[in-house]
Amino acid sequence: MLAILCNPKPYKSPPSPKALRPTSKKSFVIVRSLSVILKTMAGRSYIAALALVCLCLSYHLEITAATEFTVGDSAGWSFNVQNWPNGKSFKAGDVLVFKYGQGAHNVVVVDAQGYDSCTAKSGSKTYTSGNDKITLAKGTSYFICSYPGHCDAGMKIKVVVN
């Protein structure tokens, strides 16, 4: 397109560098204007690209800054684990890892009422892999084992995320 604006001859083959030189004052003004526009767009594109890179880096740093917590530490998801969160600081994006023998327990996401009564509502999100990873969101999260008697034996946790 630049070759067409700068050289009024019909386009036949790739122009030589000499053909790209303006042939009149009008052509010179057009080439100069295009040059300024392209430089301005390139500058904006550069700024937009730089902003995008910064955004991606900050997102990556936020993700990599998350901490993985094994619920119950070395004992894993087991009885009398309800005090395990005490003294720990959780933030949004942190991951809880529930380790237990598959088939021996489960992890059910419940609300405050389900936590207090050790009951899960129908349709509650249930994990059963034995190595469940749950990413925390801001607020309070409640988890129980819904196997009979397990929650009542302290197999439940309440996690507060700031």
Side-chain angles (χ1 to χ4, degrees):
M1 178 154 176
L2 187 59
I4 294 170
L5 292 173
C6 297
N7 190 354
K9 297 177 192 174
Y11 181 79
K12 292 182 183 175
S13 63
S16 67
K18 187 175 180 183
L20 290 175
R21 292 187 190 142
T23 57
S24 69
K25 187 171 182 161
K26 186 176 182 181
S27 294
F28 179 78
V29 170
I30 292 172
V31 170
R32 183 77 173 146
S33 298
L34 282 172
S35 174
V36 170
I37 290 169
L38 290 173
K39 284 180 182 175
T40 303
M41 287 176 59
R44 287 186 183 149
S45 297
Y46 176 75
I47 291 170
L50 186 60
L52 184 61
V53 167
C54 290
L55 181 65
C56 290
L57 282 174
S58 68
Y59 180 72
H60 176 71
L61 291 174
E62 187 175 309
I63 290 174
T64 57
T67 304
E68 241 185 40
F69 293 92
T70 300
V71 176
D73 298 319
S74 61
W77 179 234
S78 58
F79 299 106
N80 297 313
V81 76
Q82 73 268 14
N83 293 321
W84 171 81
N86 295 348
K88 292 178 178 58
S89 180
F90 301 98
K91 62 185 179 306
D94 284 349
V95 177
L96 296 181
V97 182
F98 292 83
K99 293 185 178 191
Y100 55 93
Q102 189 176 15
H105 304 293
N106 65 13
V107 180
V108 183
V109 180
V110 295
D111 58 14
Q113 183 182 357
Y115 178 83
D116 292 336
S117 66
C118 284
T119 56
K121 293 179 183 173
S122 177
S124 295
K125 178 68 179 167
T126 303
Y127 299 86
T128 60
S129 75
N131 190 32
D132 307 313
K133 295 185 178 189
I134 301 173
T135 303
L136 295 172
K138 188 172 182 167
T140 304
S141 298
Y142 302 91
F143 306 95
I144 67 169
C145 177
S146 67
Y147 283 33
H150 291 200
C151 178
D152 291 321
M155 204 163 181
K156 63 181 185 176
I157 60 169
K158 170 184 172 182
V159 177
V160 178
V161 177
N162 297 319

